[in-house]
Amino acid sequence: MIYVRESHAEKMGTITDVPYEILNVLEFNSTRKRQSVVCRYADGRLVLYCKGADTVIYERLAAESDELKKITREHLEQFGSAGLRTLCLAYKDLHPETYESWNEKFIQAKSSLRDREKKLDEVAELIEKDLILIGATAIEDKLQEGVPTCIETLARAGIKIWVLTGDKMETAINIAYACNLINNDMKQFIISSETDAIREVEEKGDQVEIARFMKEEVKGELKRCLEEAQHSLCTVSGPKLTLVIDGKCLMYALDPSLRVMLLNLSLNCSSVVCCRVSPLQKAQVTSLVKKGARKITLSIGDGANDVSMIQAAHIGVGISGLEGMQAVMASDFAIAQFRFLTDLLLVHGRLSYLRICKDVSTALSKKYPELYKEGIRNMFFKWRVVWTWAFFSVYQSLIFYHFVTISGTSGKNLSGRMFGLWDVSTMAFTCVVITVNLRLLLMCNSITRWHYISVGGSILAWFVFILIYSLLRENVYFVIYVLMGTFYFYLTIILVPIVALLGDFIYQGVERWFFPYDYQIVQEMHRNDPEDNSRAGLLEIGNRLTPQEERSYAIAQLPRELSKHTGFAFDSPGYESFFAAQLGVHAPQKAWDVARRASMRGKPKPSKKH
Amino acid sequence: MYYGHGLQMNIAALCSFPLQLHRGSIRLEGVVVVEMEGKETHGRHGSVGGASTSSSSSSTTKKQSKRPKYSRFSQQELPACKFIVTPAVVITTFVAIAIVFIPLGLASLFASDNVVEIVHRYDDLCLQGSSNAVQHIQSKNSNKTCAGKLTVSKEMKGPIFIYYQLDNFYQNHRRYVKSRSDKQLKYKADADDTGSCSPEANTDEGPIVPCGLVAWSLFNDTYKFAVQNKAVDVSKKNIAWESDRNHKFGSDVYPQNFQSGGLIGGANLETSKPLSEQEDLIVWMRTAALPTFRKLYGRIEGDLGVNDNLEVVVENNYNTYSFGGKKWLVLSTTSWIGGKNEFIGIAYLTIGGLCLFLAISFILIYVLRPRQLGDPSYLSWNKQSQVQ
């Protein structure tokens, strides 16, 4: 029994608590995309209330009151383009007898041991038809904090980003605008199943005909878009491309005959938005890119409907949170918020790639996401690098051997006595130990005290070892003491490591000067930065603007034209700063938003056809 | 609408128009508060960070933070010296190396030049005209004495060291190096420790002391010197390293059954002298590193004047002819750097000069083709955009 506080206009605004009895709850699931409840009024009337996505509700409406349907549809479109997430509500009166007979089937289905889900769906279908439309609702569902910045940063790092969502096309496009995946400078390819032609065919009701027609349509659209894309790519400064495709068309586009075209088109686009996709389609799209394009794919999601996608990708990331832990349990990496993805990829991902030692600090890794491209382009593990190392190691070994043996052919001190095998080899080995440790230091670009300790400690450990060992073993007995009593020893220790390292040193100096890597330039740019050890910096969203951005922001301050797509509902600083200003709080500018608004400047765009 | 279940409200929704129920007289106005539980109601299929933020949940996470304990080491924030190989560093390093190496090189070269060395090869001269060298050297009856004349080119201040130098003699061969018993050499009680010494390990009368191929192949040529018919004293004391004499060779270990087999490899040892006094053996047992090596034979304490004619009498006993080896007699003075070895001096000078040359060329290049440090226009993504 639930109580609803109602205020009736007829009763002059008095407030009463009306009891309703809930008889059945038909729960939500992703296939049905709706949920219903059967309730009994205080006066015995039985009503079924249904709430769900507009497509599924509209399919089940009774064939009357077209006026309301039309108006509601218009309203839905308005809500969608304003970026709100919409639902439709409908109801139906039930006769007690129909209800009773249905209820029996429902109870049977609910308690069945096998295929319960399917049986419940079937039973729900029986009653959820001939509904009467009430209207629509819309909510504003804000994106998580830091999502747009994160996406923009990753795009700069050379990572292509696709959005796969179950929302409507308008909503999905708005999300993409909010994340700066799409802006008005880009050329958009839209493949939608909501065109008038398709709707006509659908109204006829012939399933076979619908399928055939849709396939033809999708094929034609793909071809056209692909041609345009290729043509656009030939021109040097063509706009970036975006593809928007919805679930129904995707179903036909993933067909083996059309898949290749879809892949080619989407790889040419810098961002892809798929709307109204089912969980299975998400996994299919991911596999398409993984196997067809042979790129490394990463899927990130937070709900149970993302699990198949997470598992289909190379790397699956789950966001733990309000939706529960299914995504987390199915994933390879789990993070708490979407924005932590920048840290995961740009800092930890890059470090794992480099694996030697830190060359650019973590803060700089995130400030210059383009450095990530060095990993994507596999610049550090090419054969050239291997051969360079091999060459220098051969050079060093020649130095070690020849310098020590050639200089060992005569007596070594005033006593005129000669060195033997073990003296020469101990001399050479000491040079090797010193050279190798110093070479390590040369390789590191930021040297902490632990580096000094380990390098100095290694060399010291060698000396301690040999001083002790040469007292214990007969063949090397007293060798190091004899050596250390000659001038020759010290002259050689200075000469040989320096000559051995000279090759590497010259190579590094020349390479860094004439052919620098990007990360080396970034190091130089920030070589005088004081050590910023504040942890806050690592997880900050980064609201500071570079001079470039400040300039473009100032330009963007000129009255901006209103595009239909503003991403307003999702994460708009205008929205935020408006309320912030009301409260007297300073809301800082966001870099991605400045860029977005700058891209919108002075370009009146017609509204997109749905 | 209101509900009495106490279900949690997460999101406020805005309806922009009044709801109208067909059948009814109910007309709801104003703000409708709808129960929202994320996936239940709106069936969110969004995968782009769609988790709705609610103030209540964020405040709870702040209370029980799962952040790991902060330490500079685990967060990789240790203070570090940022060593970048900039042109300034390169040039400074080269100049520093040149400044250090050139004087050292000059000093070493000077010292080496002061050493006077006389090298005299005699194995090809001392065959007494015999055509079959191996036969000659192996026969017991042939005359192995030969005389030679050496001229002193520069004044040699004592002590003057006498070396014998061998070529193509691989004392560094693995099986040769292993063919000895250090225990036996040191301790009298371990005379039986001949395990690694074969084939020169045991005889019918007992173990060979010292056993092994190294001792067996002891060098046995002798040299006698005379200047103007006056014999020059050659001291054979103290020619081995003290550590060897005092520690490696026992003072109570005497040679036994040495060179008693059919094949004689080299010199014989006096059975009355303990091993620690057999300096020739000690010197020989310090195996050499390369196939061409010299070992200390003896020492002349006095000086040799310039243009002195040194007469040397060689007993050419040692058989290097079977393996194509060569023999030399070397007389040398020493300096603080040791014997005559120009390599160290030349190496230092070469590297010092090279570094100086590199420093100058880097300076020239820096002047002619400067690249400012940390210039962002060199970043590859900026370069590409410049090209466009």
Side-chain angles (χ1 to χ4, degrees):
Chain A
M1 195 66 105
I2 60 162
Y3 290 86
V4 178
R5 184 160 290 184
E6 297 171 4
S7 136
H8 291 208
E10 290 88 3
K11 292 189 186 159
M12 309 291 269
T14 51
I15 298 174
T16 48
D17 281 337
V18 183
Y20 293 91
E21 192 188 337
I22 303 290
L23 297 174
N24 301 94
V25 176
L26 297 163
E27 279 167 7
F28 178 83
N29 65 30
S30 339
T31 31
R32 291 192 320 139
K33 294 193 190 150
R34 60 190 182 272
Q35 61 181 131
S36 322
V37 91
V38 179
C39 62
R40 179 182 285 144
Y41 279 46
D43 57 6
R45 177 174 154 218
L46 288 168
V47 183
L48 167 86
Y49 285 105
C50 186
K51 160 177 86 167
D54 51 343
T55 43
V56 295
I57 296 291
Y58 266 67
E59 278 167 15
R60 285 160 181 79
L61 292 178
E64 50 181 40
S65 63
D66 287 319
E67 186 59 35
L68 181 61
K69 280 193 204 168
K70 209 161 70 91
I71 296 179
T72 310
R73 187 163 274 186
E74 278 169 27
H75 285 151
L76 281 171
E77 281 177 16
Q78 278 173 23
F79 285 147
S81 21
L84 304 172
R85 311 184 85 163
T86 56
L87 278 183
C88 275
L89 307 175
Y91 81 103
K92 176 178 166 183
D93 279 316
L94 297 172
H95 284 295
E97 302 92 38
T98 26
Y99 171 68
E100 283 303 318
S101 59
W102 176 85
N103 197 21
E104 276 171 26
K105 293 194 200 115
F106 179 71
I107 292 173
Q108 231 181 18
K110 200 156 184 204
S111 49
S112 66
L113 295 168
R114 266 184 274 211
D115 289 333
R116 184 182 304 172
E117 289 286 331
K118 219 170 71 144
K119 290 199 178 126
L120 278 175
D121 286 354
E122 285 166 14
V123 166
E125 275 293 335
L126 291 174
I127 200 167
E128 284 169 351
K129 51 183 188 193
D130 294 333
L131 302 171
I132 303 169
L133 183 66
I134 302 176
T137 62
I139 61 157
E140 184 212 3
D141 189 5
K142 271 177 81 85
L143 286 174
Q144 245 188 16
E145 192 189 342
V147 169
T149 338
C150 169
I151 290 185
E152 200 221 338
T153 311
L154 293 179
R156 272 174 66 197
I159 300 174
K160 283 205 176 150
I161 303 185
W162 295 26
V163 175
L164 306 165
T165 170
D167 292 324
K168 296 165 28 150
M169 187 169 285
E170 290 83 20
T171 319
I173 293 182
N174 262 285
I175 296 177
Y177 267 89
C179 299
N180 209 25
L181 274 175
I182 307 183
N183 56 40
N184 290 334
D185 285 334
M186 291 186 182
K187 191 182 174 64
Q188 295 181 17
F189 296 124
I190 301 191
I191 302 181
S192 163
S193 64
E194 306 269 316
T195 58
D196 296 323
I198 292 180
R199 236 178 251 156
E200 252 181 65
V201 179
E202 266 176 2
E203 264 157 34
K204 292 195 192 132
D206 181 2
Q207 293 297 328
V208 176
E209 179 61 27
I210 292 175
R212 192 200 62 82
F213 185 73
M214 283 212 66
K215 188 156 180 197
E216 286 303 313
E217 276 291 303
V218 170
K219 188 169 175 181
E221 279 295 305
L222 276 177
K223 258 206 189 114
R224 183 185 64 83
C225 294
L226 193 59
E227 273 165 22
E228 264 190 70
Q230 278 163 348
H231 179 73
S232 169
L233 282 177
C234 291
T235 60
V236 172
S237 56
K240 291 211 199 138
L241 308 169
T242 306
L243 173 66
V244 182
I245 185 168
D246 84 348
K248 276 201 188 134
C249 297
L250 198 60
M251 189 165 62
Y252 297 100
L254 285 173
D255 204 53
S257 52
L258 298 177
R259 190 180 290 178
V260 178
M261 263 201 289
L262 173 68
L263 190 62
N264 284 337
L265 176 60
S266 44
L267 289 178
N268 285 330
C269 299
S270 45
S271 58
V272 174
V273 178
C274 305
C275 36
R276 288 246 180 265
V277 284
S278 65
L280 177 63
Q281 280 174 329
K282 287 184 195 171
Q284 284 174 331
V285 169
T286 314
S287 307
L288 176 71
V289 177
K290 184 175 163 185
K291 289 177 191 144
R294 305 243 185 92
K295 308 261 183 200
I296 307 289
T297 52
L298 180 149
S299 291
I300 177 166
D302 63 352
N305 52 3
D306 301 318
V307 166
S308 49
M309 173 178 78
I310 286 174
Q311 293 191 325
H314 283 108
I315 307 166
V317 178
I319 302 181
S320 63
L322 294 166
E323 292 238 343
M325 303 295 270
Q326 288 103 327
V328 162
M329 288 195 283
S331 60
D332 302 311
F333 294 93
I335 51 181
Q337 296 181 35
F338 188 89
R339 65 194 170 106
F340 295 164
L341 197 59
T342 36
D343 276 65
L344 184 65
L345 288 176
L346 298 183
V347 174
H348 297 285
R350 191 163 172 274
L351 283 180
S352 329
Y353 175 71
L354 290 170
R355 233 185 283 260
I356 300 171
C357 59
K358 194 162 64 104
D359 57 340
V360 171
S361 74
T362 48
L364 290 180
S365 288
K366 291 202 292 176
K367 192 167 172 213
Y368 297 97
E370 288 86 346
L371 290 177
Y372 194 76
K373 285 192 196 162
E374 286 174 343
I376 295 177
R377 277 186 270 141
N378 201 19
M379 288 181 71
F380 296 138
F381 286 151
K382 288 199 238 184
W383 277 113
R384 185 181 78 100
V385 175
V386 178
W387 287 124
T388 314
W389 279 84
F391 170 75
F392 279 114
S393 61
V394 170
Y395 159 80
Q396 283 174 356
S397 65
L398 290 173
I399 301 280
F400 292 138
Y401 178 75
H402 285 109
F403 272 45
V404 174
T405 51
I406 293 176
S407 60
T409 50
S410 58
K412 287 291 142 276
N413 60 7
L414 284 169
S415 68
R417 301 184 193 126
M418 296 296 299
F419 278 166
L421 175 67
W422 301 101
D423 312 277
V424 170
S425 59
T426 308
M427 179 81 249
F429 198 77
T430 310
C431 293
V432 170
V433 168
I434 295 177
T435 309
V436 162
N437 281 291
L438 290 180
R439 178 76 183 93
L440 278 177
L441 270 189
L442 210 60
M443 228 163 30
C444 299
N445 290 120
S446 63
I447 303 174
T448 65
R449 68 162 183 264
W450 294 103
H451 288 89
Y452 293 129
I453 290 176
S454 72
V455 164
S458 293
I459 298 178
L460 202 64
W462 160 249
F463 277 104
V464 168
F465 167 78
I466 193 62
L467 285 169
I468 297 176
Y469 189 69
S470 60
L471 292 174
L472 300 176
R473 293 275 296 172
E474 284 304 329
N475 48 5
V476 290
Y477 185 73
F478 227 66
V479 153
I480 191 65
Y481 299 94
V482 163
L483 271 176
M484 287 176 88
T486 63
F487 279 105
Y488 163 77
F489 177 74
Y490 302 99
L491 283 175
T492 315
I493 294 198
I494 298 175
L495 177 69
V496 171
I498 290 185
V499 176
L501 293 176
L502 203 64
D504 287 296
F505 188 71
I506 295 175
Y507 179 77
Q508 267 194 15
V510 168
E511 185 223 32
R512 186 182 255 275
W513 196 332
F514 298 109
F515 319 103
Y517 282 113
D518 288 327
Y519 79 87
Q520 289 171 331
I521 298 194
V522 171
Q523 275 174 333
E524 289 169 15
M525 282 164 67
H526 293 271
R527 66 190 178 281
N528 293 322
D529 280 354
E531 276 297 314
D532 179 16
N533 290 326
S534 58
R535 289 209 77 228
L538 287 177
L539 294 178
E540 223 184 300
I541 303 173
N543 284 333
R544 290 162 297 177
L545 298 179
T546 66
Q548 246 178 326
E549 285 162 346
E550 293 216 50
R551 228 183 310 131
S552 61
Y553 170 62
I555 294 173
Q557 284 291 63
L558 304 171
R560 61 182 174 104
E561 58 78 34
L562 287 166
S563 154
K564 247 187 126 180
H565 300 281
T566 58
F568 180 79
F570 288 96
D571 199 337
S572 163
Y575 190 71
E576 226 180 67
S577 60
F578 171 67
F579 283 105
Q582 297 246 297
L583 295 167
V585 174
H586 167 67
Q589 295 299 329
K590 301 205 178 151
W592 53 265
D593 179 62
V594 169
R596 178 176 64 81
R597 280 193 272 159
S599 83
M600 279 166 36
R601 183 177 72 89
K603 276 199 193 121
K605 277 259 152 87
S607 64
K608 299 280 173 282
K609 273 211 290 213
H610 303 128
Chain B
M1 281 215 278
Y2 210 65
Y3 33 83
H5 271 226
L7 293 164
Q8 203 172 20
M9 164 188 68
N10 282 359
I11 298 181
L14 255 165
C15 269
S16 69
F17 57 90
L19 285 177
Q20 264 189 335
L21 295 172
H22 264 238
R23 279 281 199 94
S25 48
I26 301 176
R27 187 184 157 126
L28 303 168
E29 286 173 297
V31 174
V32 175
V33 169
V34 182
E35 172 241 301
M36 213 66 86
E37 236 171 16
K39 89 171 165 77
E40 291 276 338
T41 25
H42 260 234
R44 256 183 304 135
H45 310 281
S47 339
V48 181
S52 43
T53 53
S54 57
S55 51
S56 53
S57 61
S58 60
S59 59
T60 47
T61 47
K62 278 199 182 95
K63 279 179 206 156
Q64 351 156 288
S65 173
K66 292 205 181 127
R67 214 177 239 192
K69 189 157 173 288
Y70 171 70
S71 94
R72 299 242 290 220
F73 182 73
S74 64
Q75 290 298 325
Q76 300 183 3
E77 285 171 9
L78 291 171
C81 151
K82 290 199 177 81
F83 175 64
I84 303 177
V85 183
T86 60
V89 166
V90 171
I91 293 174
T92 317
T93 314
F94 284 148
V95 170
I97 292 178
I99 289 179
V100 169
F101 274 30
I102 292 180
L104 277 178
L106 286 173
S108 309
L109 207 55
F110 185 68
S112 175
D113 272 344
N114 273 348
V115 169
V116 189
E117 208 179 56
I118 305 172
V119 180
H120 169 71
R121 185 177 172 196
Y122 62 88
D123 63 316
D124 48 350
L125 303 174
C126 276
L127 285 173
Q128 318 292 51
S130 158
S131 51
N132 191 340
V134 178
Q135 207 186 40
H136 169 88
I137 204 88
Q138 280 179 336
S139 105
K140 287 193 173 52
N141 302 323
S142 52
N143 182 12
K144 301 205 173 88
T145 319
C146 65
K149 246 198 185 61
L150 305 171
T151 317
V152 178
S153 54
K154 252 171 76 175
E155 188 188 351
M156 292 171 88
K157 280 195 148 5
I160 301 170
F161 295 90
I162 305 166
Y163 300 91
Y164 54 90
Q165 182 170 319
L166 288 166
D167 182 36
N168 209 27
F169 193 113
Y170 285 83
Q171 266 206 328
N172 53 6
H173 191 288
R174 186 171 195 271
R175 285 170 69 182
Y176 183 93
V177 170
K178 281 183 93 67
S179 178
R180 62 196 279 160
S181 167
D182 292 312
K183 267 199 187 150
Q184 198 194 53
L185 297 170
K186 192 168 170 185
Y187 300 116
K188 184 174 178 175
D190 284 320
D192 286 321
D193 185 61
T194 58
S196 52
C197 288
S198 88
E200 290 297 319
N202 292 299
T203 57
D204 298 328
E205 284 108 42
I208 300 177
V209 178
C211 74
L213 286 173
V214 187
W216 174 81
S217 56
L218 180 58
F219 192 72
N220 57 359
D221 284 1
T222 54
Y223 314 105
K224 287 196 186 53
F225 300 90
V227 174
Q228 281 140 8
N229 292 323
K230 211 170 63 159
V232 178
D233 269 333
V234 174
S235 160
K236 291 190 62 85
K237 286 258 176 284
N238 245 344
I239 52 174
W241 293 100
E242 279 120 359
S243 51
D244 283 0
R245 250 186 300 131
N246 297 335
H247 182 90
K248 267 178 137 160
F249 292 80
S251 50
D252 55 349
V253 183
Y254 292 89
Q256 281 173 29
N257 307 316
F258 192 65
Q259 304 283 19
S260 56
L263 203 57
I264 295 181
N268 216 325
L269 291 174
E270 284 178 53
T271 43
S272 56
K273 260 195 191 172
L275 289 188
S276 58
E277 287 171 35
Q278 309 259 20
E279 301 226 15
D280 276 329
L281 178 70
I282 297 175
V283 167
W284 181 255
M285 296 280 287
R286 199 177 184 89
T287 47
L290 293 172
T292 308
F293 60 89
R294 49 171 89 155
K295 287 189 184 290
L296 193 55
Y297 174 82
R299 199 170 41 244
I300 297 175
E301 297 293 347
D303 298 342
L304 284 177
V306 84
N307 285 331
D308 271 355
N309 282 324
L310 200 59
E311 283 131 24
V312 61
V313 174
V314 175
E315 285 291 327
N316 186 18
N317 296 319
Y318 200 67
N319 179 13
T320 54
Y321 304 97
S322 305
F323 53 85
K326 302 183 186 123
K327 291 189 282 190
W328 286 266
L329 168 66
V330 177
L331 280 94
S332 169
T333 54
T334 52
S335 65
W336 60 270
I337 206 176
K340 193 173 195 69
N341 196 316
E342 295 168 337
F343 181 77
I344 296 265
I346 292 180
Y348 267 99
L349 277 177
T350 313
I351 301 299
L354 179 69
C355 286
L356 198 59
F357 165 74
L358 284 171
I360 294 175
S361 27
F362 264 83
I363 291 176
L364 277 176
I365 294 176
Y366 186 66
V367 163
L368 294 174
R369 254 189 78 172
R371 169 173 88 75
Q372 209 194 1
L373 274 184
D375 186 358
S377 64
Y378 277 86
L379 290 167
S380 61
W381 54 91
N382 288 338
K383 263 200 232 168
Q384 282 171 2
S385 58
Q386 277 173 10
V387 165
Q388 279 178 355

